[in-house]
Amino acid sequence: MKEDLIQFIWRSKVLLSNKLFTSNGSLIEVLHPGLFNTNQGPDFLFAKILLDGVLWAGHVEIHVKASDWNLHKHQLDPNYQNIILHVVWQHDIDIFYNQSPLACLELKDLVDPVLVRNYQGLMQNERSLACSPFLNYIPDSLKSIQLERMMIERLEDKTEKMKQELQLLQWDWEALLYRKLAHYMVAPMNSDAMAHLCEILTWKLLIKGYHDHTILEAMLFGTAGMLADDHQDAYYQGLQSEFKHLQLKYGIVPINAIEWKFLRLRPSHFPSLRIAQLAAFLYKEHQLFSKIIESDSLNEIYGYFDESPNEYWNSHFIFGKPSKEWKHAKIGTQTRDILIINVIVPILFAYGVIQNREELKEKALFFLQKLKTEKNHIVHMWKSYNFTLDHAGHSQGGIQLYQRYCNEKKCTSCLIGNEILKNPRT
């Protein structure tokens, strides 16, 4: 038995058809189970119950055993002074708070064994998706609602992370945007190297080269450690010469080029090409954060990414080695959409939250729901179980659901898991 199942039983009101009594025989009538609390303190806040007809308002605490109250030292924590009911699986001892007995509801003889059996089945299932045997019985409408909830939750989670980053960046939104764009420009295997680059080449330092594309490229490639070789082409030598001057002027210490990974990457994902694209993008779009806030359509957002790097990159993926085919080296449609989904939309949403501007949050969601569904193994998995994913908001929701709930077996906090527990099919 785990606390999360007891929490589910309490908040889902599956016991309200029973007559409930405390361990000392007082009749319990639940008027409101309280608000589920995911932060520090009691499990449910602001509950209302009747004990032998007397109204009590306060908090509810959940434990597997009543003795866990003492084990967790709640008797010493003032956050638990307003507990009106202790809900436990097993009442093994009487609990007192400030020398007064704490009303206790024991559940072990009240809960349908089928519910417990299905919960244990979910917890013990070793498949990547514990609920997969039941998904054919889940209504499409419920699947859709869960994905929509997860879409919002994912943006809220990203907002909380951005708040922490903004504090370190002294609430410089342009600096945050630079870091996020740089992070998502490269493949995941190169994200650590890019983070290292951004720590050295800060936004305040980078904008000193905003007025000149060559300086901007030299700053980025030089700090990345990619200008330390002896290639003979004029473009490379020009960047190398420029960076030597910048290195002396600003005291830049490049990262080790060995940090960048090329193996098993498609040439279009090579970090050298991605840095060239990032340089072209940053040179073209000054004060990009303000433009994002003011943008009214996805077409405007698309336009920000419609810029090609130096023509050298039409015939190269790395320095000093011409490619066999000529190509347009500007940011591709798939990469553009990845940047909008993972950078533009979350930053727009976060700014709306922090500034209390609902129209910006709604615009972020509108953009997300206009973009195509992402292509990855998680999205493919949900589609194989007949989930309808119509847009990028659904695919983001699917990622959130799988990573934060399915992987962690948080079935009692998922609408689909709730449906399986309350209405099991065997």
Side-chain angles (χ1 to χ4, degrees), residues 214-215 218-219 237-247:
T214 300
I215 292 176
M219 280 183 160
Q237 291 181 344
L239 292 178
Q240 193 176 54
S241 175
E242 185 65 48
F243 181 66
K244 287 179 180 178
H245 167 70
L246 295 167
Q247 191 174 11

Side-chain angles (χ1 to χ4, degrees), residues 365-403:
L365 290 170
F366 176 77
F367 287 165
L368 192 58
Q369 292 167 335
K370 287 295 182 180
L371 291 164
K372 291 182 179 179
T373 306
E374 298 156 273
K375 295 180 180 179
N376 54 53
H377 72 282
I378 296 177
V379 170
H380 177 75
M381 177 196 69
W382 289 123
K383 287 184 175 180
S384 72
Y385 289 111
N386 296 320
F387 279 68
T388 301
L389 285 76
D390 293 325
H391 49 69
H394 285 157
S395 56
Q396 284 286 290
I399 293 169
Q400 180 79 358
L401 177 58
Y402 183 71
Q403 292 180 343

Side-chain angles (χ1 to χ4, degrees), residues 14-34:
V14 297
L15 297 177
L16 293 190
S17 59
N18 301 8
K19 271 201 168 184
L20 304 177
F21 296 90
T22 65
S23 56
N24 64 4
S26 296
L27 177 65
I28 304 172
E29 295 180 63
V30 182
L31 304 180
H32 191 287

Side-chain angles (χ1 to χ4, degrees), residues 29 38 61 84 96 101 128 145 174 228 250 274 276 287 319 337:
E29 295 180 63
T38 57
E61 179 63 3
I84 59 173
F96 293 83
S128 60
I145 292 170
E174 293 283 0
Y250 298 119
R274 292 302 195 189
Q287 298 181 326
F319 285 114
D337 287 352

Side-chain angles (χ1 to χ4, degrees), residues 280-299:
F281 178 75
L282 293 173
Y283 175 67
K284 178 194 174 190
E285 296 301 340
H286 297 184
Q287 298 181 326
L288 178 61
F289 174 73
S290 299
K291 293 180 180 179
I292 291 170
I293 299 303
E294 296 168 2
S295 297
D296 291 323
S297 70
L298 264 181
N299 285 333

Side-chain angles (χ1 to χ4, degrees), residues 48 52 56 103 114 117 140 156 168 172 179 211 236 264 343 379 401:
K48 291 183 180 180
D52 285 336
W56 290 73
V114 175
R117 186 189 68 198
D140 291 341
E156 290 173 340
L168 297 175
D172 187 335
R179 282 175 171 254
H211 62 285
Y236 181 86
R264 288 189 290 274
V343 181
V379 170
L401 177 58

